[in-house]
Amino acid sequence: MQAFVYEALPVRVVFGWGRIEEVAAEAERLGMRRALVLSTAGRGAALAEDVAARLGGVCAGVHPGAVMHTPVSATEAALEVVREPRIDGLVAVGGGSTTGLAKALALRTDLPQLVLPTTYAGSEMTPILGETEGGKKTTRRDLRVLPETVIYDPALTLGLPLSVTATSGLNAIAHAVEALYAENRNPVIDLLAEEGIRRLARALIELRAAPEDRTARTAALYGAWLCGICLGSVGMALHHKLCHVLGGMFDLPHAETHAVILPHVVAFNAEACPEAMAAVGRALGAADAAKGLEQLARSLGIGRALRDLGMPEDGIERVVEAVLEQPPWNPRKLTGDGLRAMLARAWHGAPLGTG
Ligand code: NAD
């Protein structure tokens, strides 16, 4: 066995069906007396109102102002609310966009965070914050943004539309896949990654047939949790870098972008990391990792082309330049020609390739 470093992150996790009932007790445990509940607008706001009611007198207000890719402007608007009535804690209910807003606020105020995830994005398990300003997404690692407590209640994911369930699930699987070939990978995270992919992939297929199945919803959220730990614990590589650049540059939908790109990056990297590919293949029950991921995406009805997500074709060159300007660690050496060819395949929705 190779030498390694393993660093555990200090997050309290409360997992299980109906555990939303403990939100007031968990907020109190963090010393909150005037908590602000955060969410996105629309469906997210209804969930936030439910959480606010459960918090009772501890809730000082609801702010449904979270936006995809955590624009700094949305954080500044929320800061006004946080400062006014002397908020002493943040309760985020929603997907990665809502968690992102809580983290951005915690970075600037050091307020404690209690997060109730409703998608499989995994942000709640990481000390990573991505913020967007002027079409550029910048990422930082800082323990101040790591939530103190996370309540995983699968009942909160029941309303997640099947399309979001699928793409969000692939987003989570991407964390585990890149953890398996991370520069600082370690055997503990390898275990979580393979198991996370296995649980989530199986549950996503079951949910396609029965979206409200409690056992499958629970397994999916459990798998997503494991994948989130992977993202928070080891460094990522080309796949995450590409998705960040694409999201920031063209405001592409986060989870859908991950879902389209993942099989292409895995095919591109495959030869350079055979052990990781074997683990992904085992988890999916597939002989070839990239084809297994592509097959999973197809069977979940996920689109195959970046052009369908709104990326302009002349954007390929800009993405190549942005990636090579600050190249990520990656198991395979990155070249302009290699990236260009892979992005062109992903843009057109063409078959996987390695060149
Ligand atoms: P999201 O939070 O924007 O949610 C997607 C959509 O689903 C939204 O319209 C939301 O209102 C809706 N939704 C969420 N939960 C629902 C539910 N239970 N029922 C019905 N509708 C629901 O998207 P996301 O994919 O969860 O998160 C994406 C964001 O998270 C991006 O900004 C990304 O950069 C960030 N992210 C960050 C990290 C990190 O570690 N920093 C990790 C993963 C994702």
Side-chain angles (χ1 to χ4, degrees):
M1 182 179 282
Q2 283 197 332
F4 61 88
V5 172
Y6 173 75
E7 212 175 316
L9 291 170
V11 188
R12 174 178 164 86
V13 170
V14 177
F15 188 100
W17 199 273
R19 303 290 300 258
I20 191 177
E21 285 177 16
E22 288 156 57
V23 69
E26 291 298 331
E28 197 180 317
R29 200 172 179 278
L30 290 172
M32 295 184 194
R33 295 207 165 148
R34 293 181 58 77
L36 182 67
V37 179
L38 304 169
S39 73
T40 50
R43 159 85 183 140
L47 284 171
E49 290 299 338
D50 178 38
V51 168
R54 289 172 189 276
L55 284 171
V58 173
C59 178
V62 175
H63 180 72
V67 183
M68 178 88 70
H69 301 307
T70 323
V72 171
S73 55
T75 302
E76 282 167 356
L79 268 178
E80 297 290 315
V81 184
V82 167
R83 286 195 180 123
E84 277 292 310
R86 292 190 300 281
I87 298 297
D88 64 5
L90 304 166
V91 178
V93 53
S97 300
T98 307
T99 307
L101 176 59
K103 289 166 129 180
L105 292 172
L107 178 74
R108 290 161 173 84
T109 61
D110 231 355
L111 288 172
Q113 303 170 70
L114 168 55
V115 178
L116 296 99
T118 64
T119 71
Y120 305 128
S123 175
E124 66 283 350
M125 281 297 124
T126 83
I128 305 164
L129 172 65
E131 296 186 286
T132 310
E133 200 168 23
K136 202 167 174 201
K137 193 160 185 175
T138 44
T139 305
R140 76 174 80 204
R141 250 188 129 83
D142 189 320
L143 269 181
R144 277 177 299 176
V145 308
L146 183 72
E148 279 72 8
T149 303
V150 176
I151 299 180
Y152 282 111
D153 184 342
L156 295 180
T157 62
L158 272 186
L160 201 58
L162 264 188
S163 58
V164 188
T165 297
T167 52
S168 186
L170 260 288
N171 179 193
I173 286 175
H175 308 330
V177 168
E178 291 230 296
L180 285 162
Y181 56 62
E183 185 179 23
N184 58 344
R185 66 189 174 275
N186 66 66
V188 177
I189 294 301
D190 285 355
L191 288 173
L192 300 189
E194 189 174 327
E195 184 64 1
I197 298 170
R198 180 175 295 115
R199 294 277 193 143
L200 198 41
R202 196 176 299 160
L204 291 176
I205 288 167
E206 288 166 4
L207 287 170
R208 189 93 187 135
E212 308 235 320
D213 184 278
R214 281 182 170 217
T215 309
R217 281 284 173 199
T218 303
L221 195 58
Y222 175 70
W225 171 40
L226 299 184
C227 294
I229 297 174
C230 296
L231 176 67
S233 303
V234 294
M236 295 285 114
L238 175 62
H239 172 82
H240 281 74
K241 173 74 181 189
L242 272 176
C243 293
H244 273 265
V245 171
L246 287 163
M249 212 174 255
F250 309 110
D251 200 26
L252 300 191
H254 178 82
E256 285 92 327
T257 308
H258 271 268
V260 169
I261 288 280
L262 184 62
H264 289 282
V265 173
V266 170
F268 179 84
N269 278 340
E271 254 186 56
C273 47
E275 282 179 23
M277 294 300 107
V280 175
R282 276 194 304 275
L284 295 174
D288 179 274
K291 287 190 185 141
L293 288 165
E294 191 184 41
Q295 174 58 36
L296 176 64
R298 291 299 83 76
S299 61
L300 297 175
I302 293 172
R304 33 170 102 218
L306 285 178
R307 67 174 166 193
D308 297 339
L309 300 182
M311 177 184 170
E313 188 169 14
D314 63 8
I316 292 176
E317 200 52 45
R318 283 153 65 198
V319 174
V320 171
E321 277 169 26
V323 170
L324 292 179
E325 197 180 292
Q326 279 184 311
W329 183 87
N330 193 58
R332 175 175 169 183
K333 187 173 161 25
L334 301 178
T335 63
D337 286 346
L339 286 174
R340 212 169 282 118
M342 187 196 48
L343 279 166
R345 284 192 290 272
W347 191 84
H348 286 284
L352 302 177
T354 55

